[in-house]
Amino acid sequence: MSEIKKRLSSIIESPAHNTEVKLQKICQLLDQEISYFNWTGFYFKNGDKEELILGPYVGAPTDHTIIPYGKGICGQVALSNETFVVPDVHEQDNYLSCSIDTKAEIVVPIMKDGVNIGQIDIDSHKINPFTDEDREMLEWLCDEVAKIM
Ligand code: SME
C-alpha cells in the first residue's frame, strides 16, 4: 500500500475522531501532500432532495454550497455514478466555476450499497494534472469512506 493510502487509512480507522473530523483530516492530508490539489472537499446527498450539500473541505470558500443533481461536474457525477476527470474546465459547458484559478477538476462518487451518497471533488490550478494513480487512489479512498458513512 502506498504511503498516502496508509496515512488515509489511519485517519479513517482512528477511534479518536467522528466522521466529520475524519473527512476534514482527509481533505487536509490530500491538500498538504499533493501540490496540484488546490481545493479538496466532500459533497453529500442532501437528505431526500435531488441535490448535493457541501461537507468538509480545504480551500477557498465556494458559492456552490448546494448543487442540484445534473448541474456542473458534481451534479453530473451525482447521476452518472462514475468518476469524472476534467483536464481543462474551460472545455466544459456544464461546469460551475468556484474560482477563476481553477483549471482542472476530478470528481469521484462515493457509492454505498450501490447507492450514490456523495463524492470527493478536487480542483487544480494546473491544466491536466491528474494521473491514473490519483484516480485509483481517490476511487480507493471513496470505497473506504463509504464504509464509515
Ligand atoms: N466545479 C464544480 C462545483 C464545485 S466547486 O469546484 C468547489 C462543478 O462544476 O460541479
Side-chain angles (χ1 to χ4, degrees):
M1 192 187 271
S2 69
E3 193 56 37
I4 196 150
K5 282 188 185 173
K6 283 183 197 157
R7 292 176 66 188
L8 289 164
S9 278
S10 76
I11 293 170
I12 291 163
E13 288 160 14
S14 165
H17 304 297
N18 65 30
T19 301
E20 187 90 357
V21 172
K22 289 178 184 185
L23 296 177
Q24 187 69 49
K25 286 180 175 290
I26 288 167
C27 294
Q28 285 164 354
L29 178 64
L30 292 173
D31 182 74
Q32 277 163 22
E33 293 304 312
I34 304 180
S35 62
Y36 50 86
F37 284 14
N38 303 119
W39 190 96
T40 299
F42 289 94
Y43 282 94
F44 289 99
K45 184 173 187 349
N46 193 10
D48 291 341
K49 297 180 188 158
E50 296 285 291
E51 65 183 29
L52 295 161
I53 185 165
L54 181 62
Y57 70 96
V58 169
T62 173
D63 290 340
H64 303 296
T65 54
I66 297 278
I67 300 177
Y69 277 22
K71 295 265 183 199
I73 309 302
C74 296
Q76 291 177 75
V77 169
L79 295 173
S80 74
N81 306 337
E82 282 176 13
T83 298
F84 197 159
V85 183
V86 181
D88 180 354
V89 295
H90 297 111
E91 289 181 2
Q92 294 292 321
D93 294 332
N94 189 358
Y95 166 71
L96 301 170
S97 176
C98 271
S99 154
I100 51 162
D101 295 322
T102 298
K103 299 207 170 59
E105 179 161 5
I106 181 169
V107 180
V108 179
I110 301 171
M111 304 295 297
K112 187 171 178 77
D113 303 327
V115 178
N116 191 332
I117 60 164
Q119 52 191 237
I120 193 166
D121 175 21
I122 293 158
D123 290 355
S124 180
H125 297 169
K126 262 178 82 176
I127 291 247
N128 195 18
F130 303 113
T131 64
D132 289 346
E133 203 185 354
D134 294 333
R135 179 190 179 130
E136 190 277 329
M137 181 270 289
L138 293 169
E139 288 178 345
W140 169 87
L141 172 62
C142 286
D143 285 344
E144 295 301 302
V145 166
K147 295 176 190 167
I148 59 164
M149 299 303 298

